[in-house]
Amino acid sequence: RVMQGYCEKYLGAEPLQPFMQWIREGLGRRTGATRQQNEDAFERALGDAGINVQAETPLSIQALIGGTPAPGKPQPAVLVAAVVDLIAVLAQHQTLILVLDDWQWADDASRQALESLRSRHLPVLVLLATRPANDDDHPLLGATTLHLEPLDPAEAAGAITAWLPSAEPFITQEIYRQSGGSPLFIEELCHAAARGEFQLTGQSANAAWINALVASRLARLPEAQAEFLRMASVAGNVFAVWLLERLSTRSEAAAMFEALAAQDFLVPAGQPGMMRFKHVLTRDAVYATVNPTRRRALHERVAHIIEDVGGEDAFEWLEALSYHYNAANIRLKAAHFSEAAGDKALAAMALDRARAQYITGLRSLDALPEMDQAMRLRWCGIAQKLGQTCVFDPLDVAHDFALFGRAVALAGESGDINALARAEYWLGYMHYGKGHPRDAVRHCQAALRHARASDDQRLAAQVQAALGQSLASAGRYDEALPLFAIAVATKRQQSRPGSGTAIGSAYTLGRMAYTLGDMGRFDDARAHFDEALVLLGDSVHIVVASVQELMCAVLLWQGRWAEAKALGEQGADMALRCRSRYLTAMGRALGACGAWALDGNTVALKGLRESTQWIEDRGGAVSTSLNHGWLVEAAVTLGLEHEVRQHAARLFMRARQQDRQGEAMGRRALARLAASSGDLQRARHHLDAADRA
């Protein structure tokens, strides 16, 4: 059984997109169908594969076959676990090949599904087609990589001859030269040559030129076909046949699909009732020719048709409705569906998709002529959800603090104290995640005052935990520990291994243990780390990586280099699987500290430098004084004076931001350097500063 799916870059792409496509195609699940219809089709499809549905399918798979959930409940269209469980069941009965195209645009949930699939070691061949990826793209590590090179002259000549049987050798050579061996460019240049429009420009083809060639082909179509193709481009790169039938007429659409397929614009999409443009660049080129006013009107028509078909429960169409209403500048509708699509993506842990949808919703509300109190509070609510998408990786907050600062301002204007408490909390949390403990403490303290004033005890407990983390990050341990104790006691009774509450408690316990470790209370730290790991259980979660890396830092303070090296690398590996940029870099950095301490490994030192720079280039800084303390130590040991100055400056800058965990180490190394040159006064200065830190 070959299961195929593709990824798209557009706002209208749903979470777990490539997996949902083959589920719909191969297992009979249909958008808009009733639960009973989907169950019947599902059982027939699995029965054909020799599977006893009642006996062999885990409960999680039921999420794949139901109809749309009740309105207002932002549950995911499909769970990552359900997808993997279904593949596991199929793999017991059939040889499976899973083909995932345009993987460079895969959402976070799809990547998690693939990673979970790999971790089970199932007998499945996975074929990913992707543009060149970074070496750290975890799902590709260990894979057999086949680099598709451009066509060579002989291969290109064969392709050109297929398009232009009577082409002169000179034309064949020139098309190959201009195309660079790209099959798409070869096809478009052959189309131009067939029309007598091929020019010996001496240039090489590029995307802009392809746009011009496609636009030229479009202009030569009969107007009815050209208008139909423009409507199709507004519908998307891949679209449902019924959608174009409603935009035009059923009889007209059938003839148009046939004619445009013959003209090499459209091809079947590989799913029943779906068509697509031959290439995404072809779609974009056609879309660019649509008059902006006409384009907005078409987007609005498409949105109305989809909303009408989906009815009140248009759950599976949320992303498309967000995309089309946003493109049509229908602001309130765009905000509504963007928020709903964001909720759906957040529930599926497709955090990248959720961020894009929430930001679209905020921009839609900002585009309104004015916002009343209800709209201000709604804006603040969406901003809070945006914060939830960034909890596990602050480096994903590309918008600095402007959005969260605006939420505080709007909440203040609304006069709603509870909304202000939540806005201050998220602004404080973002400062904490970005390594600004002083600002984090200030905003968390304000949030706590407002939470208590609004008698929101649950929020107050949540803010206390964040305030404790911020105080600990600032080195204010005497104030942080009581808050940690309160937060842990509040959650401890409700926590069971693997639950959401347990994961929050585990992180708080980890931060508490890290604080105790920096105070030299290593036995207490170990006990808290052990409790955190029990709460996390066997879960594959980003908090596991975070706790492992906090443990690594404490092991470094104890001088347990080999254990620290191993645990840092484990944390980085888990973070990479869960797609946290900050924790991936930090785990590698801390593991490299252990490797350097073991045997002066200069390769590890290079990794420490690069990981630290990677964090700082992306606006992160939390706990990076640890990194710079080690880098000062290494530079002093190796006699690298320029690096000593460079990292000492960064270390002092972090200390001024109240991040002091690595300052004592760095100062001690600087004292040793000063003493070695006979400057005992400067050595004493650095040792005094180390004592204060």
Side-chain angles (χ1 to χ4, degrees), residues 394-398 400 434 581 613-620:
L395 295 192
D396 276 327
V397 189
D400 294 323
K434 285 285 195 175
R581 294 161 180 80
Q613 190 65 47
W614 198 88
I615 294 171
E616 293 181 342
D617 285 348
R618 286 157 180 78

Side-chain angles (χ1 to χ4, degrees), residues 35 47 296 302 468 540 569 590 622:
R35 180 179 181 86
R296 286 192 293 272
V302 170
V540 177
E569 291 170 353
L590 293 174
V622 62

Side-chain angles (χ1 to χ4, degrees), residues 54-78:
Q54 300 301 322
E56 296 186 66
T57 54
L59 290 177
S60 63
I61 295 179
Q62 300 307 311
L64 298 172
I65 61 177
T68 57
K73 293 184 179 179
Q75 298 180 9
V78 56

Side-chain angles (χ1 to χ4, degrees), residues 14-304:
E14 66 180 326
L16 289 158
Q17 183 184 35
F19 296 97
M20 287 303 300
Q21 287 158 356
W22 66 255
I23 287 169
R24 292 191 183 107
E25 177 188 359
L27 300 181
R29 189 174 192 271
R30 291 290 179 266
T31 297
T34 66
R35 180 179 181 86
Q36 190 59 53
Q37 288 171 330
N38 277 328
E39 285 181 353
D40 293 343
F42 185 85
E43 290 197 17
R44 282 196 302 272
L46 292 188
D48 291 343
I51 297 171
N52 183 322
V53 176
Q54 300 301 322
E56 296 186 66
T57 54
L59 290 177
S60 63
I61 295 179
Q62 300 307 311
L64 298 172
I65 61 177
T68 57
K73 293 184 179 179
Q75 298 180 9
V78 56
L79 300 172
V80 169
V83 169
V84 178
D85 285 342
L86 178 58
I87 295 174
V89 171
L90 290 170
Q92 295 171 15
H93 293 264
Q94 296 178 308
T95 302
L96 297 186
I97 300 176
L98 180 58
V99 182
L100 303 172
D101 200 4
D102 280 324
W103 188 250
Q104 71 276 4
W105 292 323
D107 63 279
D108 286 346
S110 295
R111 292 176 182 273
Q112 288 174 32
L114 179 59
E115 182 54 43
S116 297
L117 180 63
R118 280 164 43 87
S119 68
R120 290 202 190 185
H121 305 291
L122 299 171
V124 178
L125 172 64
V126 181
L127 177 62
L128 299 182
T130 181
R131 293 183 183 177
N134 296 327
D135 290 338
D136 355 335
D137 195 348
H138 188 75
L140 303 184
L141 294 180
T144 301
T145 303
L146 307 176
H147 294 283
L148 295 186
E149 303 295 339
L151 301 184
D152 64 28
E155 293 165 339
I160 294 166
T161 300
W163 287 101
L164 300 171
S166 58
E168 300 174 4
F170 181 76
I171 294 294
T172 298
Q173 290 177 359
E174 187 61 17
I175 288 176
Y176 173 71
R177 190 192 67 77
Q178 291 187 24
S179 70
S182 163
L184 175 66
F185 291 180
I186 287 172
E187 286 187 17
E188 288 298 337
L189 290 170
C190 286
H191 281 305
R195 299 190 305 268
E197 297 176 356
F198 178 68
Q199 298 180 9
L200 307 180
T201 62
Q203 303 177 25
S204 295
N206 54 42
W209 194 12
I210 290 300
N211 284 356
L213 290 172
V214 172
S216 174
R217 281 210 290 141
L218 177 67
R220 297 176 67 89
L221 292 175
E223 181 52 32
Q225 291 182 18
E227 175 59 15
F228 188 88
L229 193 62
R230 286 191 284 265
M231 287 193 297
S233 74
V234 171
N237 181 49
V238 182
F239 50 85
V241 168
W242 61 257
L243 180 57
L244 267 293
E245 289 175 349
R246 294 198 179 204
L247 277 173
S248 54
T249 65
R250 182 181 295 271
S251 57
E252 178 191 18
M256 291 297 179
F257 284 134
E258 185 177 351
L260 293 170
Q263 292 286 340
D264 208 35
F265 280 105
L266 301 178
V267 295
Q271 299 178 65
M274 302 293 288
M275 295 286 288
R276 68 174 176 86
F277 281 81
K278 187 158 187 183
H279 195 282
V280 67
L281 290 179
T282 307
R283 181 266 176 181
D284 291 347
V286 174
Y287 185 77
T289 68
V290 184
N291 176 276
T293 302
R294 173 68 172 151
R295 184 187 300 171
R296 286 192 293 272
L298 284 171
H299 276 296
E300 185 174 4
R301 282 184 63 197
V302 170
H304 286 321

Side-chain angles (χ1 to χ4, degrees), residues 346-401:
L346 181 60
M349 290 303 288
L351 301 183
D352 54 342
R353 292 279 193 266
R355 273 190 292 275
Q357 294 290 356
Y358 289 142
I359 289 170
T360 298
L362 293 176
R363 289 173 176 165
S364 297
L365 292 178
D366 277 334
L368 294 172
E370 59 180 346
M371 280 196 285
D372 58 18
Q373 179 166 340
M375 286 297 104
R376 290 191 188 98
L377 291 176
R378 187 174 177 187
W379 200 103
C380 294
I382 296 175
Q384 290 163 29
K385 293 176 180 179
L386 176 64
Q388 293 176 44
T389 71
C390 306
V391 164
F392 301 120
D393 194 353
L395 295 192
D396 276 327
V397 189
H399 314 281
D400 294 323
F401 307 101

